[in-house]
Amino acid sequence: MEKGLISNIQGYSIKDGPGIRTTVFCVSCNLRCKWCSNPELMLPGKKTMKFKIGDKEKIQNVGYEIDSKTLAEKLARDKIFYEETGGGVTFSGGEAALQGKFVAETARLLSEMGISSALDTAGNVSREVFEEISDAFEYILYDIKTFDEELHKKCTGVSNRRILENLKFLAAKNKKIIIRLVIVPHYNDELNDVRKRMEFVKNLGDCVERVDVLPYHTLGKGKYKSLGMEYPIKSGEEISDEYWREFKKIAANLNLEIHVAGEK
């Protein structure tokens, strides 16, 4: 059995793919997104977070090893919820594809039990990784941070060439893809870049089942402090209603259906 390093297992998730899902958060990521809400999962290995509640200091350990068989058996306990809602398990992070053999083996074990799996990825791994593991998952949740390469480097620390090429590869395999767009004020919200992202997605074809738009939030801010890290985003400005109207107009002109988180 393959072993992996995960931080936690979140049940009853409704934002990480179809239906009611359980999300497995894997440790380690090879992007450094300025807006990351899970900084404890960026760096490899186990770590400690320190919180202060009142006058007492609390310690939370992040990261523990588990093998794929044990994890699959644990996840299968909620099979009834998956069956009733068309849900399943989503492997997220961090970057779950960095532990490709582990998550794929777990997904295959779940499939043998009749449970669907999804991989939530930013796509910054080798083509060989996706060739080896992508068939283990029913859905691929794919994050597109920016379209412009230099802007991508500024926001994440790396180029997006491999990321976009990997997405085209998965589309050519006719994988079920759910695109995820996080929009962060003053970082990746420039409408011309948004339009290019949407045009790229449109050209992928019918394999894209939906586009989920995730407005930026500051829920991870306290985690940075607990890890002794500086929170990288200074502005607390929210995206205006006018911006969203223009954003949606771009999608409508491309006949691209989008789902903005928090909207009914």
Side-chain angles (χ1 to χ4, degrees):
M1 289 288 107
E2 295 285 341
K3 287 186 177 182
L5 186 66
I6 67 174
S7 67
N8 66 299
I9 300 171
Q10 178 180 306
Y12 206 83
S13 174
I14 57 173
K15 295 181 180 179
D16 294 324
I20 293 176
R21 311 189 69 81
T22 299
T23 302
V24 179
F25 289 92
C26 299
V27 175
S28 188
C29 185
N30 56 5
L31 270 65
R32 294 294 179 265
C33 300
K34 297 292 187 182
W35 52 81
C36 182
S37 60
N38 293 318
E40 76 279 16
L41 305 183
M42 280 187 188
L43 300 175
K46 301 176 184 178
K47 51 193 73 73
T48 300
M49 298 173 68
K50 296 180 180 180
F51 296 92
K52 201 163 187 180
I53 302 177
D55 295 330
K56 295 183 178 180
E57 187 175 83
K58 300 290 184 179
I59 294 177
Q60 177 183 341
N61 294 319
V62 176
Y64 65 95
E65 287 188 347
I66 190 169
D67 66 71
S68 55
K69 183 174 185 293
T70 301
L71 179 58
E73 290 172 348
K74 183 175 296 203
L75 295 167
R77 295 171 189 169
D78 287 333
K79 183 179 179 180
I80 186 171
F81 297 108
Y82 311 146
E83 291 177 335
E84 291 182 356
T85 66
V89 173
T90 298
F91 296 89
S92 186
E95 174 53 72
L98 291 177
Q99 301 186 58
K101 291 183 178 180
F102 164 66
V103 295
E105 184 174 66
T106 308
R108 293 186 181 104
L109 291 171
L110 290 170
S111 181
E112 291 172 2
M113 293 184 271
I115 298 172
S116 168
S117 294
L119 175 70
D120 183 4
T121 179
N124 189 36
V125 294
S126 70
R127 173 68 54 81
E128 289 72 24
V129 168
F130 281 124
E131 288 174 346
E132 181 178 2
I133 73 172
S134 58
D135 288 340
F137 306 94
E138 182 177 7
Y139 293 94
I140 305 292
L141 281 58
Y142 210 97
D143 301 325
I144 304 180
K145 316 295 186 181
T146 75
F147 186 83
D148 179 80
E149 184 180 7
E150 291 306 312
L151 180 59
H152 198 276
K153 289 178 181 178
K154 180 181 177 181
C155 291
T156 72
V158 303
S159 166
N160 63 348
R161 289 187 184 182
R162 178 165 70 170
I163 290 168
L164 296 178
E165 288 300 315
N166 280 336
L167 182 50
K168 288 193 285 187
F169 166 75
L170 293 169
K173 289 190 68 175
N174 203 32
K175 294 297 299 181
K176 295 180 182 178
I177 297 172
I178 297 174
I179 298 295
R180 293 157 73 89
L181 304 176
V182 178
I183 305 298
V184 186
H186 308 303
Y187 283 84
N188 70 342
D189 62 334
E190 205 277 318
L191 286 172
N192 187 50
D193 192 80
V194 167
R195 178 181 55 78
K196 291 178 181 178
R197 271 176 269 171
M198 290 192 188
E199 289 173 344
F200 183 87
V201 170
K202 184 68 177 180
N203 288 332
L204 295 174
D206 294 338
C207 63
V208 177
E209 300 216 338
R210 59 185 290 164
V211 177
D212 290 338
V213 181
L214 312 173
Y216 174 69
H217 59 74
T218 59
L219 297 179
K221 188 173 183 179
K223 296 180 181 180
Y224 284 83
K225 184 177 180 180
S226 69
L227 289 164
M229 299 169 62
E230 182 179 356
Y231 191 61
I233 295 182
K234 305 300 182 184
S235 173
E237 185 175 337
E238 295 183 359
I239 296 176
S240 68
D241 291 340
E242 180 182 356
Y243 176 89
W244 285 123
R245 283 193 291 271
E246 292 299 315
F247 186 100
K248 293 173 183 177
K249 189 182 297 183
I250 293 171
N253 288 340
L254 291 168
N255 195 28
L256 189 66
E257 184 179 356
I258 63 172
H259 303 266
V260 180
E263 291 188 353
K264 295 182 179 180

